[in-house]
Amino acid sequence: MPAQSSVLSLVPRPTKSALRPGHFTLDAGTALRVGAGAEPAADLLRTLLAPATGLPLEASPDGQLTLTLDPDLAGLGEEGYGLTVAQHAVLLRAAHLTGLLRGIQTIRQLLPPQALSARPQRDTEWLVPCVEITDLPRHPWRGAMLDVARHFQPVSYLRRYVDLLALHKIGVFHLHLTDDQGWRMPVAAYPKLTEIGGHRAESQQGPAGSDLYDGVPHGGSYTRAELAGLVEYAAARGVTVMPEIEMPGHVRAALAAYPELGNHPERSLDVWTRWGVCDTVLGVHDEVLDFCRTVLDEVMDVFPSPYIHVGGEECPTAEWTHSAAARERAQALGLSSPAALHGWFLGRIGEFLVRHGRRPVGWAETGAELPLDFTVMTWRDAAHTLTAARRGHQVVSAYHRATYLDYAQSEDPREPPAQPGKVVDLRTVHSHDPVPEDADAPAARQVLGTQTQLWTEFVTTPERIEYLTYPRLCALADRAWSGPTDWDDFRARLDGHTARLDALDVRYHP
């Protein structure tokens, strides 16, 4: 098995694969036999292969390449698929459409790397090796978080980002839309969120390029149509876009636009030009909860994701301690201190999302500060994953020492500026198991999976995003889909896979 998977160079590695003699040839005469409900998969195959191959892949009841949904394959789950490539026919089957979309990416990887090019490749023979594959993921949650709040990226790049996630069978695009340094999503009832909160001025407080200061004017926001289009584009590739709107901390951009939402409504604030954790947070008066509900109503309109991320972590409570209104609210609620308003606030927000059929997600160290209906992203310590799971939370392991891609990839002094801390190299990412070794079966079932994180304090361009993301995301994709895989086997497959990244013009880390 390892030797065959290395020959195929598939990333992530299929659950079961067997290489057979011979090839299937895609050419101008190849047609698609498309079963009921499989039309979106056929559309995706044509869309992905047309730029390089120019092949029409028209539908025909006698097509050599069959795409079919088969309810008898329920054991493959939502995303599993079976692929049989013979010399004169190809059969891709799945119980659900998402499984067909995953299988389309495998077909794409089985073709010569030139098939991934955006430019016509007229001298290439489109051969697919004969193979038998049965494939399904170990973890349902395989994600990637991109922070566009600190440095905005155009929606055209977000579509490319989605394409690269889909190639690696990453199913969740976690889009971090708001923070102290910028608010990127429009909300009709609060236009100043993007008009003011979407732009930060040059910092006069410290040297540009330092660890604590940005120093560079920066701005940008999306239209509602752009975000809705992104969601549709991602869904066609089997990727769910999960939005993150930070609260009750990391809200300096919102307070710059609407100071009445804070604990000092008389104070005029700027969009923060520093990095780190800002001590200005939302107030706890009723108008603030109304604001949050209005924002989340619009978020839910645009993003059909079953999960909505509300941040929740790194919320200093000093302003509540010094606020007479916050102290009165805490006392009226019977809370032990103003600091306890943090859990109360997130509880109200979580209840609102649950009433609307969504699952709230929050960053947390152990999950102890979040209501049980929150899905927890544990990041501080790998052991916190087990703590939160045993408490009853669904958990996504986002351990920063294995999944944060804003850390440097090597000790090489020529590496670009990065978050201070230990190197997170390729092998570290590949070796991270989201399920702790000492987890019993009930706790292990609570762990949904894992994802990469790319915070963008030091990341300004798409080229830098891809340099930091690849090939480390390949390693996480392999581990999260395939489970533990041999390091040498992964490296052998990655060596072949980099030809695909080259064809896609990905400027990955060497």
Side-chain angles (χ1 to χ4, degrees), residues 368-454:
E369 60 269 50
L370 291 176
L372 280 176
D373 52 15
F374 268 74
T375 294
V376 173
M377 286 192 169
T378 53
W379 63 274
R380 174 75 74 178
D381 190 311
H384 293 159
T385 298
L386 184 54
T387 304
R390 284 178 172 162
R391 189 169 180 263
H393 288 282
Q394 286 187 338
V395 187
V396 176
S397 173
Y399 177 45
H400 70 297
R401 283 284 161 231
T403 71
Y404 276 36
L405 304 185
D406 43 320
Y407 288 112
Q409 303 182 71
S410 76
E411 300 282 3
D412 192 320
R414 293 170 295 181
E415 290 282 7
Q419 293 284 9
K422 292 181 180 178
V423 163
V424 175
D425 61 16
L426 183 67
R427 189 160 192 164
T428 299
V429 178
H430 185 262
S431 65
H432 174 62
D433 192 337
V435 178
E437 282 186 354
D438 51 346
D440 54 18
R445 285 193 293 269
Q446 294 295 105
V447 181
L448 298 178
T450 186
Q451 65 176 40
T452 60
Q453 279 62 233
L454 184 55

Side-chain angles (χ1 to χ4, degrees), residues 37 49 70 90 105 111 118 127 178 184 209 212 219 227 231 252-253 255 264 333 339 385 417 451 474 483:
L49 296 187
D70 184 349
V90 175
Q105 298 294 343
L111 282 160
L127 303 179
T178 72
R184 308 301 178 202
L212 291 178
L227 292 173
V231 167
R252 176 69 170 257
L255 296 179
H264 299 281
L333 292 167
T385 298
Q451 65 176 40
C474 304

